[in-house]
Amino acid sequence: MTLDALLSALHFVLAFGLVAILAAQAALIRPGMTASDLRLAANLDRGYGAAALLLLGAGFARVFFGAKAASFYLSNPVFWAKLGVFAAVALLSIPPTVRLIRWSREARAQPAFLPRDEQVRGVQRWLLAEAFVLVVIPFLAAAMARGVGHG
Ligand code: HEM
């Protein structure tokens, strides 16, 4: 297997992993969630952050060590649009992470703690926004890979 193929496979595994974690969090974080749902969602959130960082690393590894020259991507606005949308998803993931950290802290201090339904619904909205924005990325990726944006 060439390095390019290996990085490509890694890129897919990490992107699918990211989506799977987001889906699992969306299933766990709902009004009426239990203390164990909260623990699992908070642990998954750390996995989500790690997957996002590794995906960023794998993406840049493809830029610099993939089959095409780095300039193919770096000079293409579609590549930068893809990176911008990725950054937007990262920003949208901050409020849920902050909430989960706060809730976990409260749950440690007070084992009977459960978040209020309206707070939970707030986090659900951020997760939904993340999912919607994330869907744009594969379209930009496919266009970028085919040289759209090079004029
Ligand atoms: C959630 C985040 C991401 C998703 C869902 C995603 C998705 C994809 C997909 C589906 C492809 C294959 C395109 C095709 O061959 O038709 C691809 C390729 C690629 N992605 Fe990503 N990507 C993500 C993040 C990133 C990031 C952060 C970078 C760069 C820092 C990056 C760099 C690349 C590169 C260089 C390729 C190779 C394109 C080629 O074959 O010429 N990706 N991505």
Side-chain angles (χ1 to χ4, degrees), residues 41-125:
N43 287 336
L44 282 171
D45 206 54
R46 282 189 280 277
Y48 187 80
L53 280 179
L54 289 171
L55 184 53
L56 192 63
F60 272 110
R62 291 191 78 181
V63 169
F64 291 105
F65 310 115
K68 297 168 187 159
S71 59
F72 176 84
Y73 305 109
L74 301 178
S75 66
N76 187 346
V78 180
F79 167 76
W80 293 107
K82 182 184 171 188
L83 216 56
V85 175
F86 184 74
V89 174
L91 289 177
L92 289 170
S93 78
I94 292 175
T97 296
V98 170
R99 275 280 175 214
L100 283 169
I101 290 172
R102 276 198 204 137
W103 290 346
S104 302
R105 202 178 294 147
E106 294 211 43
R108 270 196 303 277
Q110 183 196 333
F113 169 83
L114 281 174
R116 288 201 314 276
D117 283 357
E118 67 266 24
Q119 289 181 324
V120 172
R121 274 192 276 272
V123 172
Q124 279 183 313
R125 278 192 287 275

Coordinates of all heavy atoms in Angstrom, one line a residue, residues 41-125:
A41 N -21.4 10.3 27.2 CA -21.3 11.5 26.3 C -20.1 12.3 26.5 O -19.4 12.8 25.6 CB -22.6 12.3 26.4
A42 N -19.7 12.5 27.8 CA -18.5 13.3 28.2 C -17.2 12.5 27.7 O -16.3 13.2 27.2 CB -18.5 13.5 29.7
N43 N -17.2 11.2 27.9 CA -16.1 10.4 27.4 C -16.0 10.5 25.9 O -14.9 10.6 25.3 CB -16.1 9.0 27.8 CG -15.9 8.8 29.3 OD1 -15.2 9.7 29.9 ND2 -16.4 7.8 29.9
L44 N -17.1 10.4 25.2 CA -17.2 10.4 23.7 C -16.6 11.8 23.3 O -16.0 11.9 22.2 CB -18.6 10.2 23.2 CG -19.0 8.7 23.2 CD1 -20.5 8.7 22.9 CD2 -18.3 7.9 22.2
D45 N -16.9 12.8 24.0 CA -16.5 14.1 23.6 C -15.0 14.3 23.5 O -14.5 14.9 22.7 CB -17.1 15.2 24.6 CG -17.2 16.5 23.9 OD1 -17.9 16.6 22.8 OD2 -16.7 17.5 24.4
R46 N -14.3 13.6 24.5 CA -12.8 13.6 24.4 C -12.4 12.8 23.1 O -11.4 13.3 22.4 CB -12.3 12.9 25.6 CG -12.3 13.9 26.8 CD -11.5 13.3 28.0 NE -12.3 12.3 28.7 CZ -13.2 12.6 29.7 NH1 -13.4 13.9 30.0 NH2 -13.8 11.7 30.3
G47 N -13.1 11.7 22.8 CA -12.8 11.0 21.6 C -13.0 11.8 20.3 O -12.3 11.8 19.4
Y48 N -14.1 12.7 20.4 CA -14.4 13.5 19.3 C -13.3 14.5 19.0 O -12.9 14.8 17.9 CB -15.7 14.2 19.6 CG -16.3 15.1 18.5 CD1 -17.0 14.5 17.5 CD2 -16.1 16.4 18.5 CE1 -17.6 15.2 16.4 CE2 -16.7 17.2 17.4 CZ -17.4 16.6 16.4 OH -17.9 17.3 15.4
G49 N -12.8 15.1 20.1 CA -11.7 16.1 20.0 C -10.5 15.4 19.5 O -9.8 16.0 18.6
A50 N -10.2 14.2 20.0 CA -9.0 13.5 19.5 C -9.1 13.2 18.0 O -8.2 13.4 17.2 CB -8.7 12.3 20.3
A51 N -10.3 12.7 17.6 CA -10.5 12.3 16.2 C -10.4 13.6 15.3 O -9.8 13.5 14.2 CB -11.9 11.7 16.0
A52 N -10.9 14.7 15.8 CA -10.8 15.9 15.0 C -9.4 16.4 14.8 O -9.0 16.7 13.7 CB -11.7 17.0 15.6
L53 N -8.6 16.3 15.8 CA -7.2 16.7 15.7 C -6.4 15.7 14.8 O -5.6 16.1 14.0 CB -6.5 16.7 17.1 CG -6.8 17.9 18.0 CD1 -6.1 17.7 19.3 CD2 -6.3 19.2 17.3
L54 N -6.7 14.4 15.0 CA -6.0 13.4 14.1 C -6.4 13.6 12.6 O -5.6 13.5 11.7 CB -6.3 12.0 14.6 CG -5.7 11.6 15.9 CD1 -6.2 10.2 16.4 CD2 -4.2 11.5 15.7
L55 N -7.7 13.9 12.5 CA -8.2 14.2 11.1 C -7.5 15.4 10.4 O -7.1 15.3 9.3 CB -9.7 14.4 11.1 CG -10.5 14.5 9.8 CD1 -10.2 13.3 8.9 CD2 -12.0 14.6 10.1
L56 N -7.3 16.4 11.3 CA -6.6 17.6 10.8 C -5.2 17.2 10.4 O -4.7 17.5 9.3 CB -6.6 18.6 11.9 CG -6.1 20.0 11.5 CD1 -7.1 20.6 10.5 CD2 -6.1 20.9 12.7
G57 N -4.6 16.4 11.2 CA -3.2 15.9 10.9 C -3.1 15.0 9.7 O -2.3 15.2 8.8
A58 N -4.1 14.1 9.6 CA -4.1 13.2 8.4 C -4.4 14.0 7.1 O -3.8 13.7 6.1 CB -5.2 12.1 8.6
G59 N -5.3 15.0 7.3 CA -5.6 15.9 6.1 C -4.3 16.6 5.6 O -4.0 16.6 4.4
F60 N -3.6 17.2 6.6 CA -2.4 17.9 6.2 C -1.3 17.0 5.7 O -0.5 17.3 4.8 CB -1.9 18.9 7.3 CG -2.5 20.2 7.2 CD1 -3.4 20.6 8.2 CD2 -2.2 21.1 6.2 CE1 -4.0 21.9 8.1 CE2 -2.8 22.3 6.1 CZ -3.7 22.7 7.0
A61 N -1.3 15.8 6.3 CA -0.3 14.8 5.8 C -0.6 14.4 4.3 O 0.3 14.3 3.5 CB -0.4 13.5 6.6
R62 N -1.9 14.4 4.0 CA -2.3 14.1 2.6 C -1.9 15.3 1.7 O -1.5 15.1 0.5 CB -3.8 13.9 2.4 CG -4.3 12.6 3.1 CD -5.8 12.4 2.7 NE -5.8 11.8 1.3 CZ -7.0 11.5 0.7 NH1 -8.1 11.7 1.3 NH2 -7.0 11.0 -0.5
V63 N -2.0 16.5 2.2 CA -1.6 17.7 1.4 C -0.1 17.6 1.1 O 0.3 17.8 -0.1 CB -1.9 19.0 2.2 CG1 -1.2 20.2 1.5 CG2 -3.4 19.2 2.3
F64 N 0.7 17.3 2.1 CA 2.2 17.3 1.9 C 2.8 16.0 1.5 O 3.9 16.1 0.8 CB 2.8 17.9 3.2 CG 2.5 19.3 3.4 CD1 1.6 19.7 4.4 CD2 3.1 20.3 2.6 CE1 1.3 21.1 4.6 CE2 2.7 21.7 2.8 CZ 1.8 22.0 3.8
F65 N 2.2 14.9 1.8 CA 2.8 13.6 1.4 C 1.9 12.8 0.6 O 2.2 11.6 0.3 CB 3.2 12.8 2.7 CG 4.0 13.6 3.7 CD1 3.4 14.0 5.0 CD2 5.2 14.1 3.4 CE1 4.1 14.7 5.9 CE2 5.9 14.9 4.3 CZ 5.4 15.2 5.6
G66 N 0.8 13.3 0.1 CA -0.1 12.6 -0.8 C 0.4 12.5 -2.2 O 1.5 12.9 -2.5
A67 N -0.4 12.0 -3.1 CA 0.0 11.7 -4.5 C 0.2 13.0 -5.3 O 1.0 13.1 -6.2 CB -1.0 10.8 -5.2
K68 N -0.6 14.1 -4.9 CA -0.5 15.3 -5.7 C 0.4 16.3 -5.0 O 0.7 16.2 -3.8 CB -1.9 15.9 -5.8 CG -2.9 15.1 -6.6 CD -4.4 15.5 -6.4 CE -5.3 14.5 -7.1 NZ -6.7 14.7 -6.5
A69 N 0.9 17.3 -5.8 CA 1.7 18.3 -5.2 C 0.9 19.1 -4.2 O -0.3 19.4 -4.3 CB 2.3 19.2 -6.3
A70 N 1.6 19.6 -3.1 CA 0.9 20.4 -2.1 C 0.3 21.6 -2.7 O -0.8 22.1 -2.3 CB 1.9 20.8 -1.0
S71 N 0.9 22.2 -3.7 CA 0.4 23.4 -4.4 C -1.0 23.2 -5.0 O -1.8 24.1 -5.1 CB 1.3 23.9 -5.4 OG 1.5 23.0 -6.4
F72 N -1.3 21.9 -5.4 CA -2.6 21.5 -5.9 C -3.7 22.0 -4.9 O -4.8 22.5 -5.4 CB -2.7 20.0 -6.2 CG -4.0 19.6 -6.7 CD1 -4.4 19.7 -8.1 CD2 -5.0 19.1 -5.8 CE1 -5.6 19.2 -8.5 CE2 -6.3 18.6 -6.3 CZ -6.5 18.7 -7.6
Y73 N -3.4 21.8 -3.7 CA -4.4 22.1 -2.6 C -4.3 23.6 -2.2 O -5.2 24.3 -2.1 CB -4.3 21.2 -1.4 CG -4.4 19.7 -1.8 CD1 -3.3 18.9 -1.8 CD2 -5.6 19.2 -2.3 CE1 -3.4 17.6 -2.2 CE2 -5.7 17.9 -2.7 CZ -4.6 17.1 -2.6 OH -4.7 15.8 -3.0
L74 N -3.0 23.9 -1.8 CA -2.8 25.2 -1.2 C -3.2 26.4 -2.1 O -3.5 27.5 -1.6 CB -1.3 25.3 -0.7 CG -0.9 24.2 0.3 CD1 0.6 24.4 0.6 CD2 -1.7 24.3 1.5
S75 N -3.2 26.2 -3.4 CA -3.5 27.3 -4.3 C -5.0 27.2 -4.7 O -5.4 28.0 -5.6 CB -2.7 27.2 -5.6 OG -3.0 26.1 -6.3
N76 N -5.7 26.3 -4.1 CA -7.1 26.1 -4.5 C -8.1 26.7 -3.4 O -8.1 26.2 -2.3 CB -7.4 24.6 -4.7 CG -8.8 24.4 -5.3 OD1 -9.6 25.3 -5.3 ND2 -9.0 23.2 -5.8
P77 N -8.9 27.7 -3.7 CA -9.9 28.2 -2.7 C -10.8 27.2 -2.2 O -11.3 27.3 -1.1 CB -10.6 29.3 -3.5 CG -10.2 29.2 -4.9 CD -9.0 28.4 -5.0
V78 N -11.1 26.1 -3.0 CA -12.0 25.1 -2.5 C -11.4 24.4 -1.3 O -12.1 24.0 -0.3 CB -12.5 24.1 -3.6 CG1 -13.4 23.1 -3.1 CG2 -13.1 24.9 -4.8
F79 N -10.1 24.2 -1.3 CA -9.4 23.5 -0.2 C -9.5 24.4 1.0 O -9.9 23.9 2.1 CB -7.9 23.4 -0.5 CG -7.1 23.0 0.7 CD1 -7.1 21.7 1.2 CD2 -6.3 24.0 1.3 CE1 -6.4 21.4 2.4 CE2 -5.5 23.7 2.5 CZ -5.6 22.4 3.0
W80 N -9.4 25.7 0.9 CA -9.4 26.6 2.0 C -10.9 26.8 2.5 O -11.1 26.9 3.7 CB -8.9 28.0 1.7 CG -7.4 27.9 1.4 CD1 -6.7 27.9 0.2 CD2 -6.4 27.6 2.4 NE1 -5.4 27.7 0.4 CE2 -5.1 27.5 1.8 CE3 -6.4 27.5 3.8 CZ2 -3.9 27.3 2.4 CZ3 -5.2 27.2 4.5 CH2 -4.0 27.1 3.8
A81 N -11.8 26.6 1.6 CA -13.3 26.6 2.0 C -13.5 25.4 2.8 O -14.2 25.5 3.9 CB -14.2 26.6 0.7
K82 N -13.0 24.3 2.4 CA -13.1 23.0 3.2 C -12.6 23.2 4.6 O -13.2 22.8 5.6 CB -12.5 21.9 2.4 CG -12.7 20.5 3.1 CD -11.9 19.4 2.4 CE -11.9 18.2 3.3 NZ -11.1 17.1 2.8
L83 N -11.4 23.7 4.6 CA -10.7 24.0 5.9 C -11.6 24.9 6.8 O -11.7 24.7 8.0 CB -9.3 24.5 5.7 CG -8.3 24.0 6.7 CD1 -8.2 22.5 6.7 CD2 -6.9 24.6 6.3
G84 N -12.1 26.0 6.1 CA -13.0 26.9 6.9 C -14.2 26.3 7.4 O -14.6 26.6 8.6
V85 N -14.8 25.4 6.6 CA -16.0 24.7 7.1 C -15.7 23.8 8.3 O -16.4 23.7 9.3 CB -16.8 24.0 6.0 CG1 -18.0 23.2 6.5 CG2 -17.2 25.0 4.9
F86 N -14.5 23.1 8.1 CA -14.0 22.3 9.2 C -13.8 23.1 10.5 O -14.2 22.7 11.6 CB -12.7 21.6 8.8 CG -12.1 20.6 9.8 CD1 -12.7 19.4 10.0 CD2 -11.0 21.0 10.6 CE1 -12.2 18.5 10.9 CE2 -10.5 20.1 11.5 CZ -11.1 18.8 11.6
A87 N -13.3 24.3 10.4 CA -13.1 25.2 11.5 C -14.4 25.6 12.1 O -14.6 25.7 13.3 CB -12.2 26.4 11.1
A88 N -15.4 25.8 11.2 CA -16.7 26.2 11.7 C -17.3 25.1 12.5 O -17.9 25.3 13.6 CB -17.7 26.5 10.5
V89 N -17.1 23.8 12.1 CA -17.7 22.7 12.9 C -17.0 22.6 14.2 O -17.6 22.4 15.3 CB -17.4 21.4 12.1 CG1 -17.8 20.2 13.0 CG2 -18.3 21.4 10.8
A90 N -15.6 22.9 14.2 CA -14.9 22.9 15.5 C -15.4 24.0 16.4 O -15.6 23.7 17.6 CB -13.4 23.1 15.2
L91 N -15.7 25.2 15.9 CA -16.3 26.2 16.7 C -17.7 25.8 17.3 O -17.9 26.1 18.5 CB -16.4 27.5 15.9 CG -15.1 28.2 15.6 CD1 -15.4 29.5 14.7 CD2 -14.3 28.6 16.9
L92 N -18.5 25.2 16.4 CA -19.8 24.8 16.9 C -19.8 23.7 18.0 O -20.7 23.5 18.7 CB -20.6 24.3 15.7 CG -21.1 25.3 14.7 CD1 -21.7 24.6 13.4 CD2 -22.1 26.2 15.3
S93 N -18.6 23.0 18.0 CA -18.5 21.9 19.0 C -18.0 22.5 20.4 O -18.0 21.7 21.3 CB -17.5 20.8 18.5 OG -16.2 21.3 18.7
I94 N -17.7 23.7 20.4 CA -17.2 24.3 21.7 C -18.3 24.3 22.8 O -18.1 23.8 23.9 CB -16.5 25.6 21.5 CG1 -15.2 25.4 20.7 CG2 -16.2 26.3 22.9 CD1 -14.5 26.7 20.4
P95 N -19.5 24.9 22.5 CA -20.5 25.0 23.5 C -20.9 23.6 24.1 O -21.0 23.5 25.3 CB -21.7 25.7 22.8 CG -21.0 26.5 21.7 CD -19.9 25.7 21.2
P96 N -21.1 22.6 23.2 CA -21.4 21.3 23.8 C -20.3 20.8 24.8 O -20.6 20.2 25.8 CB -21.6 20.4 22.6 CG -22.0 21.3 21.5 CD -21.2 22.6 21.8
T97 N -19.0 21.0 24.3 CA -17.9 20.5 25.2 C -17.9 21.3 26.5 O -17.7 20.6 27.6 CB -16.6 20.8 24.4 OG1 -16.6 20.0 23.2 CG2 -15.4 20.4 25.3
V98 N -18.1 22.6 26.5 CA -18.1 23.4 27.7 C -19.2 22.9 28.6 O -19.0 22.6 29.8 CB -18.3 24.9 27.4 CG1 -18.5 25.7 28.7 CG2 -17.0 25.4 26.7
R99 N -20.4 22.6 28.1 CA -21.5 22.1 28.8 C -21.2 20.8 29.5 O -21.5 20.6 30.6 CB -22.8 22.0 27.9 CG -23.6 23.2 27.8 CD -24.5 23.4 29.0 NE -25.1 24.7 28.8 CZ -25.4 25.5 29.8 NH1 -25.1 25.2 31.0 NH2 -26.0 26.7 29.6
L100 N -20.7 19.9 28.6 CA -20.4 18.5 29.1 C -19.4 18.5 30.3 O -19.5 17.8 31.2 CB -19.9 17.6 28.0 CG -21.0 17.1 27.0 CD1 -20.5 16.5 25.8 CD2 -22.0 16.1 27.7
I101 N -18.4 19.4 30.1 CA -17.4 19.5 31.2 C -18.0 20.0 32.5 O -17.8 19.5 33.6 CB -16.2 20.4 30.8 CG1 -15.4 19.8 29.7 CG2 -15.3 20.8 32.0 CD1 -14.3 20.6 29.0
R102 N -18.9 21.1 32.3 CA -19.6 21.6 33.5 C -20.5 20.6 34.2 O -20.5 20.4 35.4 CB -20.4 22.8 33.1 CG -19.6 24.1 33.1 CD -20.6 25.3 33.1 NE -19.9 26.4 32.5 CZ -20.4 27.3 31.7 NH1 -21.7 27.2 31.3 NH2 -19.7 28.2 31.2
W103 N -21.3 19.9 33.3 CA -22.2 18.9 33.9 C -21.4 17.7 34.6 O -21.8 17.3 35.6 CB -23.0 18.3 32.7 CG -24.0 19.2 32.2 CD1 -24.5 20.4 32.7 CD2 -24.8 19.0 30.9 NE1 -25.4 21.0 31.8 CE2 -25.6 20.1 30.8 CE3 -24.8 18.0 30.0 CZ2 -26.5 20.3 29.7 CZ3 -25.7 18.2 28.9 CH2 -26.5 19.3 28.7
S104 N -20.3 17.3 34.0 CA -19.5 16.2 34.6 C -18.9 16.7 35.9 O -18.9 15.9 36.9 CB -18.3 15.8 33.7 OG -18.8 15.4 32.4
R105 N -18.5 18.0 36.0 CA -18.0 18.5 37.2 C -19.1 18.5 38.3 O -18.9 18.0 39.4 CB -17.5 19.9 37.0 CG -16.5 20.3 38.0 CD -16.0 21.7 37.8 NE -15.2 21.8 36.5 CZ -15.1 22.9 35.7 NH1 -15.9 24.0 36.0 NH2 -14.4 22.9 34.7
E106 N -20.3 18.9 37.9 CA -21.4 19.0 38.9 C -21.8 17.5 39.3 O -22.1 17.3 40.5 CB -22.6 19.6 38.2 CG -22.4 21.1 37.9 CD -23.7 21.9 38.0 OE1 -24.4 21.7 39.0 OE2 -23.8 22.8 37.2
A107 N -21.7 16.6 38.3 CA -22.1 15.2 38.7 C -21.1 14.6 39.6 O -21.5 13.8 40.5 CB -22.2 14.4 37.4
R108 N -19.8 15.0 39.5 CA -18.8 14.5 40.5 C -19.1 15.0 41.9 O -18.9 14.3 42.9 CB -17.4 14.8 40.0 CG -16.8 13.8 39.1 CD -15.3 13.9 38.9 NE -14.9 15.3 38.4 CZ -14.9 15.6 37.2 NH1 -15.3 14.8 36.2 NH2 -14.6 16.8 36.8
A109 N -19.4 16.4 41.9 CA -19.6 17.0 43.2 C -20.9 16.5 43.9 O -21.1 16.5 45.1 CB -19.7 18.5 43.0
Q110 N -21.9 16.2 43.0 CA -23.2 15.9 43.5 C -23.8 14.7 42.7 O -24.4 14.9 41.6 CB -24.1 17.2 43.3 CG -25.5 17.1 43.8 CD -26.2 18.3 43.2 OE1 -25.7 19.4 42.9 NE2 -27.5 18.1 43.1
P111 N -23.6 13.5 43.1 CA -23.9 12.3 42.2 C -25.3 12.2 41.7 O -25.6 11.6 40.6 CB -23.6 11.1 43.2 CG -22.7 11.6 44.2 CD -23.0 13.1 44.4
A112 N -26.3 12.9 42.4 CA -27.7 12.8 41.9 C -28.0 13.9 40.8 O -29.0 14.0 40.2 CB -28.7 13.1 43.0
F113 N -26.9 14.6 40.4 CA -27.1 15.7 39.4 C -27.5 15.2 38.1 O -26.9 14.2 37.5 CB -25.8 16.5 39.3 CG -25.8 17.5 38.1 CD1 -26.4 18.7 38.3 CD2 -25.3 17.1 36.9 CE1 -26.5 19.6 37.2 CE2 -25.4 18.0 35.8 CZ -25.9 19.2 35.9
L114 N -28.5 15.9 37.5 CA -28.8 15.7 36.1 C -29.1 17.0 35.4 O -29.7 17.9 36.1 CB -30.1 14.8 35.9 CG -29.8 13.3 36.1 CD1 -31.1 12.5 36.1 CD2 -28.9 12.7 35.1
P115 N -28.7 17.3 34.2 CA -28.9 18.6 33.6 C -30.4 18.9 33.4 O -31.2 17.9 33.2 CB -28.2 18.5 32.3 CG -28.0 17.1 32.0 CD -28.0 16.4 33.3
R116 N -30.8 20.2 33.4 CA -32.2 20.5 33.1 C -32.5 20.3 31.6 O -31.6 20.5 30.8 CB -32.4 22.0 33.5 CG -32.3 22.3 35.0 CD -33.0 23.6 35.4 NE -32.6 24.7 34.5 CZ -31.5 25.4 34.7 NH1 -30.7 25.1 35.7 NH2 -31.2 26.4 33.9
D117 N -33.8 20.0 31.4 CA -34.2 19.7 30.0 C -33.9 20.8 29.0 O -33.5 20.6 27.9 CB -35.7 19.4 30.0 CG -36.0 18.0 30.5 OD1 -35.0 17.2 30.8 OD2 -37.1 17.6 30.5
E118 N -34.1 22.1 29.5 CA -33.9 23.2 28.5 C -32.4 23.3 28.2 O -32.0 23.7 27.0 CB -34.5 24.5 28.9 CG -33.9 25.2 30.1 CD -34.6 24.8 31.4 OE1 -35.3 23.7 31.4 OE2 -34.5 25.5 32.4
Q119 N -31.5 23.0 29.1 CA -30.1 23.1 28.8 C -29.7 21.9 27.9 O -28.9 22.1 27.0 CB -29.3 22.8 30.1 CG -29.3 24.0 31.1 CD -28.5 23.7 32.3 OE1 -28.5 22.5 32.8 NE2 -27.8 24.7 32.9
V120 N -30.3 20.8 28.1 CA -30.1 19.6 27.2 C -30.5 20.0 25.8 O -29.8 19.7 24.8 CB -30.8 18.4 27.7 CG1 -30.7 17.2 26.7 CG2 -30.3 18.0 29.1
R121 N -31.7 20.6 25.7 CA -32.2 21.0 24.3 C -31.2 22.0 23.7 O -31.0 21.9 22.4 CB -33.6 21.5 24.4 CG -34.6 20.4 24.4 CD -36.0 20.9 24.2 NE -36.6 21.3 25.4 CZ -37.3 20.5 26.2 NH1 -37.5 19.2 25.9 NH2 -37.8 20.9 27.4
G122 N -30.6 22.8 24.4 CA -29.7 23.8 23.9 C -28.5 23.1 23.3 O -28.1 23.4 22.1
V123 N -28.0 22.1 24.0 CA -26.8 21.3 23.4 C -27.3 20.5 22.2 O -26.5 20.4 21.2 CB -26.2 20.3 24.5 CG1 -25.2 19.4 23.9 CG2 -25.6 21.2 25.7
Q124 N -28.5 20.0 22.2 CA -29.0 19.3 21.1 C -29.0 20.1 19.8 O -28.6 19.7 18.7 CB -30.4 18.8 21.3 CG -30.6 17.5 22.1 CD -32.0 17.1 22.3 OE1 -32.9 17.9 22.6 NE2 -32.2 15.8 22.0
R125 N -29.3 21.4 20.0 CA -29.3 22.3 18.8 C -27.9 22.6 18.3 O -27.7 22.6 17.1 CB -30.0 23.7 19.2 CG -31.5 23.6 19.2 CD -32.1 25.0 19.3 NE -32.0 25.6 20.7 CZ -32.9 25.3 21.6 NH1 -33.9 24.6 21.4 NH2 -32.7 25.9 22.8

